[in-house]
Amino acid sequence: MADTITLQGIIRDFSPNERPDLLPSQQGPTNHPDFEADFDSGVPVEQGIVGLELDNSTHKPIYVGGTDPGVNPKSTHGAAAFAQWYANDHPHQKPFSITLKKIHTNPDIYSYDNQAFFPIDNELLGNEGNAHNYHFTYELATEFTYQGGEEFTFTGDDDLWVFIDNKLVIDLGGIHTQATKTLKLKDLPSLKVGITYSLRLFFAERHTTESHFRIDTTIVLTQPVATIVASDPNAKELGLDTGEFTISLDKPALTDLTIKYGVTGTATEGVDYQPIRNSVLMPKGQTSAKILVTPIADQLTEGSETVIATLIGGSGYQTGTPSSATVTIEDNPPAPPVAVIVATDPQASEVGLDPGQFTIMLNKPAPTTLMIGYSVSGTATEGADYQPIGRSVQIPQGQSSAIIPVKPIADDLAEVSETVIATLVAGADYRLGASITATVTIADNPPVPIATLFASDPIATKPEQGKAPTDLGEFTINLDKPAPRRLVMSFSVAGSAKENVDCQPMPRSATFEVGQTQAKIPVVPMAAQSLGLAKPDVIATLLPLDGCQLGSPITGTVVIKLPDGFPVIGPR
């Protein structure tokens, strides 16, 4: 067998009927009439203060007021005052353990002996002007499995009551000097070997003299060991997802047990989660009890917060390991940003490849990098009328907008204006706002005119010396439709004619103003020389131009002839 037995109980502190540190006018209503009360010093023990059985629901002694008519005055003052002695909700209490040491073997005898039993000196209510804290009660709930023949002896003062299986077996009530009572369990015919029974001890120290407390027993007293874990350590404000603590006993509770615990942590009870009290009832025969942590949702950005439950010692059980557990409440995630799309430049054009632009905007900076998705439709064809624009855009953390350029592709097709429509699609990290569709219109390149060049007057005649030219040659450039804009048509000049000899210098371009369809280029011959070619020619050829298509013909020839009768080199 073990060399020691440790048992945990509850001490409750009281103010005496009259405090020696206060004047009569200062005595208050919280002073308890049963402590430091008048008593009959001629009676060694005041029996019959409590009934023969414990209350079935509270497992506390039932006050009956004393059965000995010879006791005068009685040291107690009624059921209401007595009910405070061992009240679970007493405001001044703390757990206190005693350890019984084995002092004899064969049989094993366990003993706890304290001849100055003042366990709460300067604690709770304090000594209140006395050398010790003399006014307290002690409740101890234990159990044992009956082996046959065990004994239990108590020696001490003041009140002491022991109940086995809820029945009174030792009655040392009243304010008295040190008294002793031995109980032989074989004298209790209701006990059966091998059966587990409860043993509850109720003690009171009520007078400013000595305080003795001694137990000697061959009973192997035990208490269930309580532990606590977070059986569901994660709670969430989102959806009010609960967390859970589980308190467990290492063996079934012999009677209903109230297991106490304290609650701390960064979360605030009643604000971040529903109140969870400070104790839980462990029903008789059970080994576990649950404590739910129910979050309270709010709109505050707080981050995760903790609820820490720590077991507190009580009567009828001991605290084991682990004695503390944590449930974390995950904060309600902030509302995701709201995304909208607008056409911040709704007009694009093939002319000059002028781009349009969509802008996706958030109502607040992105909490993380977001990918915003969108679909694309419209009458314009992606990849033919405009460069591909993807189907999503990234908005970096801390930013609140992103642009999507629409870059036209120029072609020579005659088309009406065409549209590009972008529509936002839903995503997990953002919500859609009111404006989820926008349109960019691509204006078509205006129809491209077709240019031709020919010799509209293919013969020019040189004048005689000293005369002005009268027979000019001519090239004509035609457009099949009016010029959509100012066009400068360039052409090359070649041939056997020499400028400044056979003809005046030729231009190299012709200008078409908007709406114009024709331009003429004269070939002005120069006076005949004494010697020269009979028929020099000028050849003009159109050159390519953006915004204009070359047709056929694009080349023309003007021949410059000599005046009749003029000598020539070569055939006339």
Side-chain angles (χ1 to χ4, degrees), residues 187-209:
D187 295 335
L188 302 177
S190 62
L191 300 188
K192 306 298 181 184
V193 173
I195 303 300
T196 299
Y197 297 96
S198 64
L199 185 151
R200 292 178 178 268
L201 179 150
F202 298 90
F203 172 81
E205 174 60 39
R206 296 197 283 144
H207 191 57
T208 52
T209 52

Side-chain angles (χ1 to χ4, degrees), residues 106-130:
N106 197 25
D108 291 339
I109 299 176
Y110 292 90
S111 178
Y112 175 81
D113 184 9
N114 192 333
Q115 295 303 301
F117 188 58
F118 299 109
I120 53 171
D121 274 359
N122 300 308
E123 296 185 55
L124 300 178
L125 293 173
N127 294 1
E128 298 181 311
N130 295 305

Side-chain angles (χ1 to χ4, degrees), residues 454-464 467-476 502-507 520-527 536 538 557-563:
F454 67 98
S456 49
D457 187 347
I459 303 296
T461 303
K462 288 188 174 188
E464 294 180 2
K467 294 184 179 181
T470 58
D471 184 13
L472 307 182
E474 183 182 73
F475 296 106
T476 296
D502 296 311
C503 63
Q504 293 182 7
M506 292 290 296
K520 295 184 177 294
I521 302 105
V523 179
V524 182
M526 296 186 68
V538 179
T557 301
V558 171
V559 176
I560 303 173
K561 70 175 185 175
L562 294 172

Side-chain angles (χ1 to χ4, degrees), residues 368-405:
T368 59
T369 297
L370 297 181
M371 294 299 295
I372 309 295
Y374 49 87
S375 62
V376 179
S377 59
T379 58
T381 301
E382 190 172 20
D385 296 312
Y386 60 96
Q387 300 288 350
I389 61 173
R391 293 300 182 270
S392 65
V393 67
Q394 178 176 286
I395 299 182
Q397 182 179 9
Q399 301 298 310
S400 58
S401 65
I403 63 171
I404 307 166

Side-chain angles (χ1 to χ4, degrees), residues 367-540:
T368 59
T369 297
L370 297 181
M371 294 299 295
I372 309 295
Y374 49 87
S375 62
V376 179
S377 59
T379 58
T381 301
E382 190 172 20
D385 296 312
Y386 60 96
Q387 300 288 350
I389 61 173
R391 293 300 182 270
S392 65
V393 67
Q394 178 176 286
I395 299 182
Q397 182 179 9
Q399 301 298 310
S400 58
S401 65
I403 63 171
I404 307 166
V406 179
K407 299 178 180 179
I409 297 174
D411 56 37
D412 294 329
L413 302 176
E415 304 168 307
V416 297
S417 294
E418 296 174 299
T419 58
V420 181
I421 302 172
T423 302
L424 294 182
V425 297
D429 300 323
Y430 58 91
R431 292 187 300 176
L432 299 181
S435 174
I436 64 169
T437 297
T439 301
V440 167
T441 300
I442 302 175
D444 190 32
N445 245 337
V448 177
I450 299 174
T452 57
L453 181 149
F454 67 98
S456 49
D457 187 347
I459 303 296
T461 303
K462 288 188 174 188
E464 294 180 2
Q465 290 288 338
K467 294 184 179 181
T470 58
D471 184 13
L472 307 182
E474 183 182 73
F475 296 106
T476 296
I477 300 174
N478 283 329
L479 301 179
D480 68 337
K481 56 179 66 68
R485 56 187 174 85
R486 191 172 190 269
L487 298 177
V488 178
M489 301 294 301
S490 297
F491 51 87
S492 63
V493 177
S496 59
K498 296 181 179 179
E499 293 177 276
N500 291 318
V501 174
D502 296 311
C503 63
Q504 293 182 7
M506 292 290 296
R508 296 298 193 271
S509 65
T511 299
F512 287 78
E513 300 299 339
V514 175
Q516 189 176 343
T517 60
Q518 190 177 80
K520 295 184 177 294
I521 302 105
V523 179
V524 182
M526 296 186 68
Q529 304 294 321
S530 57
L531 293 175
L533 294 175
K535 295 181 179 180
D537 55 13
V538 179
I539 302 171

Side-chain angles (χ1 to χ4, degrees), residues 24 52 56 98 115 135 140-141 188 198 217 230 243 261 284 296 308 345 366 391 415 433 495 565:
L52 298 179
N56 283 330
I98 61 174
Q115 295 303 301
H135 307 102
L140 191 64
L188 302 177
S198 64
T217 185
Y261 51 87
K284 176 181 178 180
I296 297 174
I308 303 172
D345 185 352
R391 293 300 182 270
E415 304 168 307

